[in-house]
Amino acid sequence: MATGKGESKASLLQNERIRFIVCFFGVFVCYFYYGILQETITRGDYSHAGKKEKFRYATTLVFIQCIINAAFAKILILFFEGSRQDHTKSWLYGLCSLSYLGAMVSSNSALQYVNYPTQVLGKSCKPIPVMILGVTILRKKYTMAKYLCVFLIVTGVALFLYKPNKGSTTSDEQTFGFGEMLLLLSLTLDGLTGVSQDHMRVRYQTGANHMMLNVNLWSTLILGITVLWTGEVWEFLTFTERYPGIVSNILLFGFTSALGQTFIFMTVVYFGPLTCSIITTTRKFFTILGSVLLFGNVISTMQWFGTILVFLGLGLDAKFGKTPKKTTH
């Protein structure tokens, strides 16, 4: 009887649907609190000796975040995967970290030239380059249902987040083209990140924790050189001396990031980067929808239409969007 119960528990953990639900809610819960902490840190009220300051150390913040992510992944490997060997090529991890960091830098830089809704709309289309580059480079095949579901979800998120800018200025029009180019670059790099992750999991059966560890180690190296070269890290340390309360928020921010990344890499390894990009795209949608429902904000007709499209896309993807599995001999 005991062995039967043990086997049933093991089979429950191996169940694809249960695993997907764990990954789905893990990403949502962790990154919901992560977003609150991020806004608290970057947009907090910092006043010292009658002077107000702004947090201008985003690169150092991401640097600390990558260090905590790598340490968290190393602990998981030591406790749960001590005997498992990782045969993934180191240069693949380096390539993945370059495209990942490049996408973040490009999207953040785009905010200097386009407004925030435009940047959000661009990043909401992340599943599209992941799918396109997966088809062209890795020769992946998706069902027509999968294409339709991605289109519905992306369109729904775009309609929900879109707010017509009634007071656009001519200065924005002059630099909008360059901002669009940066967003296009960011999306392309997002797609390359997805392709490299997909190649690692298919070719080398890369584990979620090993992928998380090595991508963050490479990112730590790149960002460490950057913050030392620019001197930002020393300015950041001086800032924390003036406002020591920020340290606990940063550590908690890093922990929620590490836990959230664990679920993200689990999703990539078990379900692929396209499914992961769909989850992370809809996460923002549900977060905004939740705030609207909780605080009683008015939803426009266009936003309700976008809501229906997202739920329709998710429902169709759950029922018809699975890619046929290849039989192995």
Side-chain angles (χ1 to χ4, degrees):
M1 293 291 292
T3 55
K5 288 182 179 179
E7 288 176 0
S8 64
K9 286 182 179 180
S11 61
L12 184 64
L13 292 173
Q14 294 298 322
N15 186 286
E16 188 176 88
R17 185 171 294 180
I18 298 296
R19 186 181 282 164
F20 177 80
I21 291 172
V22 170
C23 291
F24 186 85
F25 282 102
V27 171
F28 266 59
V29 172
C30 290
Y31 279 101
F32 180 80
Y33 191 40
Y34 168 92
I36 294 174
L37 288 167
Q38 185 180 40
E39 188 162 2
T40 302
I41 294 168
T42 57
R43 303 189 66 180
D45 182 18
Y46 302 106
S47 300
H48 180 74
K51 285 187 176 182
K52 285 190 175 183
E53 297 184 69
K54 290 185 178 181
F55 186 88
R56 295 188 176 90
Y57 314 102
T59 305
T60 305
L61 183 63
V62 177
F63 172 59
I64 296 171
Q65 179 183 340
C66 290
I67 292 175
I68 296 175
N69 288 343
F72 192 82
K74 185 64 176 178
I75 292 171
L76 290 176
I77 290 172
L78 289 175
F79 278 93
F80 300 105
E81 301 183 30
S83 59
R84 179 173 178 175
Q85 296 294 318
D86 180 29
H87 302 288
T88 310
K89 302 295 183 183
S90 182
W91 65 268
L92 273 173
Y93 287 127
L95 180 65
C96 185
S97 65
L98 279 173
S99 58
Y100 170 70
L101 291 174
M104 286 198 300
V105 171
S106 300
S107 62
N108 289 332
S109 299
L111 288 172
Q112 299 177 31
Y113 307 97
V114 298
N115 57 26
Y116 184 70
T118 302
Q119 192 250 25
V120 170
L121 286 175
K123 296 298 287 183
S124 296
C125 299
K126 181 180 175 180
I128 295 178
V130 171
M131 177 176 281
I132 291 174
L133 291 176
V135 170
T136 56
I137 297 178
L138 297 181
R139 306 298 181 188
K140 291 180 69 68
K141 293 183 178 179
Y142 299 104
T143 62
M144 287 304 297
K146 177 66 79 174
Y147 286 107
L148 175 62
C149 294
V150 170
F151 175 76
L152 288 174
I153 291 170
V154 171
T155 304
V157 173
L159 289 176
F160 189 89
L161 295 174
Y162 176 69
K163 293 179 182 178
N165 195 0
K166 296 179 181 179
S168 59
T169 60
T170 55
S171 60
D172 288 337
E173 295 174 358
Q174 294 174 355
T175 56
F176 185 73
F178 186 63
E180 282 185 319
M181 289 174 61
L182 286 172
L183 284 177
L184 182 60
L185 175 61
S186 178
L187 286 171
T188 303
L189 291 171
D190 277 332
L192 289 173
T193 302
V195 167
S196 61
Q197 289 175 335
D198 218 8
H199 178 72
M200 285 187 281
R201 79 183 186 96
V202 172
R203 176 68 176 82
Y204 299 100
Q205 289 77 50
T206 309
N209 295 325
H210 283 99
M211 187 182 291
M212 178 178 170
L213 171 65
N214 288 280
V215 168
N216 279 286
L217 282 176
W218 275 96
S219 299
T220 299
L221 175 63
I222 296 168
L223 289 173
I225 293 172
T226 302
V227 296
L228 286 172
W229 182 61
T230 59
E232 181 181 303
V233 66
W234 311 119
E235 296 177 12
F236 169 79
L237 291 174
T238 305
F239 186 84
T240 57
E241 287 179 1
R242 291 195 296 272
Y243 310 100
I246 196 176
V247 175
S248 58
N249 281 336
I250 289 175
L251 292 176
L252 194 55
F253 170 78
F255 176 75
T256 55
S257 167
L259 194 58
Q261 270 209 6
T262 301
F263 288 113
I264 281 182
F265 281 103
M266 281 176 60
T267 307
V268 170
V269 167
Y270 293 125
F271 303 100
L274 180 60
T275 300
C276 183
S277 65
I278 291 173
I279 290 176
T280 54
T281 298
T282 53
R283 172 188 67 84
K284 185 176 293 183
F285 163 78
F286 280 107
T287 301
I288 296 175
L289 178 61
S291 68
V292 168
L293 296 176
L294 287 173
F295 297 104
N297 295 316
V298 179
I299 300 180
S300 67
T301 303
M302 182 182 293
Q303 287 176 316
W304 276 120
F305 183 61
T307 303
I308 294 170
L309 286 182
V310 171
F311 278 106
L312 180 61
L314 289 172
L316 290 175
D317 184 59
K319 190 169 182 63
F320 304 109
K322 290 187 178 293
T323 304
K325 293 183 179 179
K326 295 182 180 179
T327 57
T328 54
H329 300 283

